[in-house]
Amino acid sequence: MSERYSRQELFTPIGSSGQALLAEKHVFIVGAGALGSSNAEMLTRAGVGKITIIDRDYIDWSNLTRQQLYTEEDARQYIPKAKAAENRLRTINSEIEVNGIADEFSAETAGELLQNVDIVIDGTDNFETRFIMNDITAKHNVPWIYGGCVKSHGISLPILPGETPCLQCLIDQIPQEGMTCDTVGIISPVVQMTAAYQTTECLKFLTDHPMSTEMVYFDIWERQHSSINVKKLLNPTCSSCSSHATYPYLTKEKGIRTAVLCGRDTVQVRPSATIKLTLEDLSIRLKPISQKLHQNRELLVFTVEEFRLVVFKDGRTLVHGTSDVSEAKKLYQQYIGA
């Protein structure tokens, strides 16, 4: 028994054999925000052999109340969440492999990203990405664990393709009140509770124990808890997981693609093809017209008029200060021109 994992190995359902299994596994986490960072830290400490975490955003001061891997200095320097997570997780456990990807989990990239992955954990904050995750995991027969939280409410559900209903099967059963952390807030304890359910089911699967078929929903502030066994809700004609699945959310878009970030007055703009920007050259070009400009190895932040633009080195850009897609595209083409 290794001293590092000794207390975990004393837990009979895991034991030394389960610990050995964990060391061989690869967990992919979509989103490095509150849920993603919490799951990532627990799995890193548990000794999972490889963890990959992807996120399209950078660290903001408003993240620090609940996104436990990050520091004030990360926020000052606009560090991409995935890269800050990678750096922090490597200091927690140098025995495992950690890879942070500062990019979007999209229909174009999902298939390649999930090669040789054992299980996927949902750390996102939007259903658009979740449905892509749902389709790609069904297509490649990879289990994933849905999780969501806002205010003091949390929800978690393991999804095992071919055995349990997928997200598309259950969409009418999952509470969707149109609320986000950016519009109604959130408290940190509900993040930890939701992540605890997700990580526990992940550890079960990785150590060859059956995952639950129940969806749990709780309000930690009001001390309310409920669960429902969803196994019988598997839809035999589901467009995402049945034998006749068409995987509707994996359709690839053409041209400049945009996404409005819910509740944040922000539009993401992505060029039609991946490009490699020289941030140094862009910085020189923008310096005479920008009110504020900050650059690090992964991104460039600048302000023009009332808008703040965050440009990643592959050309993907977050336009803060508008939810108008046309306006965001215009600003992108005017200042980035990619």
Side-chain angles (χ1 to χ4, degrees):
M1 182 186 296
S2 67
E3 181 63 27
R4 177 171 204 139
Y5 305 112
S6 60
R7 303 305 186 268
Q8 187 165 275
E9 291 180 39
L10 285 171
F11 180 62
T12 302
I14 293 181
S16 58
S17 59
Q19 193 64 51
L21 286 173
L22 291 178
E24 299 171 353
K25 303 299 185 180
H26 181 188
V27 176
F28 193 95
I29 302 174
V30 182
L35 284 179
S37 60
S38 185
N39 275 285
E41 179 170 345
M42 285 189 280
L43 292 169
T44 294
R45 294 184 185 279
V48 172
K50 182 177 181 179
I51 295 173
T52 301
I53 186 164
I54 185 170
D55 194 284
R56 65 187 179 185
D57 209 350
Y58 61 95
I59 298 164
D60 182 81
W61 286 91
S62 65
N63 301 148
L64 300 182
T65 57
R66 66 197 185 283
Q67 298 181 19
Q68 63 192 52
L69 292 179
Y70 311 130
T71 67
E72 291 184 351
E73 188 60 22
D74 293 328
R76 289 190 192 98
Q77 298 300 323
Y78 299 94
I79 304 298
K81 290 181 181 180
K83 292 302 181 182
E86 175 186 308
N87 294 337
R88 173 62 175 155
L89 295 171
R90 285 179 172 177
T91 67
I92 290 172
N93 192 342
S94 61
E95 297 178 353
I96 71 169
E97 181 180 350
V98 182
N99 183 29
I101 303 172
D103 203 349
E104 183 178 32
F105 186 80
S106 66
E108 289 82 359
T109 61
E112 182 179 353
L113 288 171
L114 292 195
Q115 291 183 15
N116 303 314
V117 166
D118 293 291
I119 191 169
V120 176
I121 291 184
D122 170 24
T124 69
D125 59 1
N126 68 90
F127 275 90
E128 179 184 1
T129 305
R130 288 184 179 119
F131 280 120
I132 294 172
M133 197 186 319
N134 187 66
D135 272 13
I136 198 66
T137 52
K139 184 175 182 179
H140 293 278
N141 197 35
V142 177
W144 69 287
I145 304 173
Y146 164 70
C149 50
V150 69
K151 295 176 67 175
S152 58
H153 311 154
I155 187 170
S156 177
L157 171 70
I159 296 175
L160 196 60
E163 296 185 28
T164 66
C166 76
L167 190 64
Q168 183 66 36
C169 295
L170 294 172
I171 194 59
D172 292 333
Q173 307 295 323
I174 294 173
Q176 296 182 70
E177 303 169 76
M179 299 183 294
T180 72
C181 301
D182 299 288
T183 57
V184 296
I186 188 170
I187 56 173
S188 181
V190 74
V191 173
Q192 304 307 317
M193 177 73 81
T194 307
Y197 274 105
Q198 289 180 287
T199 299
T200 300
E201 295 300 331
C202 182
L203 290 174
K204 285 182 185 178
F205 178 80
L206 297 179
T207 55
D208 289 343
H209 296 284
M211 292 194 293
S212 171
T213 59
E214 290 190 333
M215 177 173 65
V216 295
Y217 180 79
F218 51 86
D219 184 332
I220 196 167
W221 190 266
E222 299 295 338
R223 298 178 62 86
Q224 297 174 352
H225 185 283
S226 61
S227 62
I228 177 173
N229 192 317
V230 299
K231 193 167 185 178
K232 293 182 180 180
L233 299 177
L234 182 67
N235 182 358
T237 63
C238 177
S239 61
S240 293
C241 73
S242 71
S243 58
H244 304 291
T246 58
Y247 311 114
Y249 298 96
L250 298 184
T251 302
K252 298 181 180 180
E253 297 180 42
K254 296 181 180 179
I256 290 180
R257 291 156 291 163
T258 59
V260 179
L261 305 192
C262 185
R264 291 183 55 184
D265 199 27
T266 299
V267 177
Q268 175 181 263
V269 182
R270 178 184 280 278
S272 56
T274 299
I275 61 174
K276 291 295 182 182
L277 280 178
T278 303
L279 295 179
E280 291 79 6
D281 291 345
L282 185 60
S283 175
I284 292 170
R285 175 155 58 89
L286 293 170
K287 195 169 185 179
I289 61 172
S290 174
Q291 299 160 18
K292 296 179 181 178
L293 192 147
H294 175 89
Q295 180 189 339
N296 60 39
R297 293 174 58 185
E298 301 292 335
L299 54 79
L300 174 70
V301 184
F302 69 97
T303 302
V304 286
E305 301 175 11
E306 71 270 30
F307 306 104
R308 188 171 83 251
L309 283 75
V310 182
V311 187
F312 293 81
K313 58 187 178 183
D314 64 353
R316 183 171 58 87
T317 301
L318 300 179
V319 182
H320 298 284
T322 182
S323 57
D324 185 318
V325 168
S326 297
E327 185 172 43
K329 280 185 177 180
K330 180 181 178 181
L331 290 164
Y332 180 84
Q333 291 166 337
Q334 181 177 355
Y335 294 107
I336 313 303

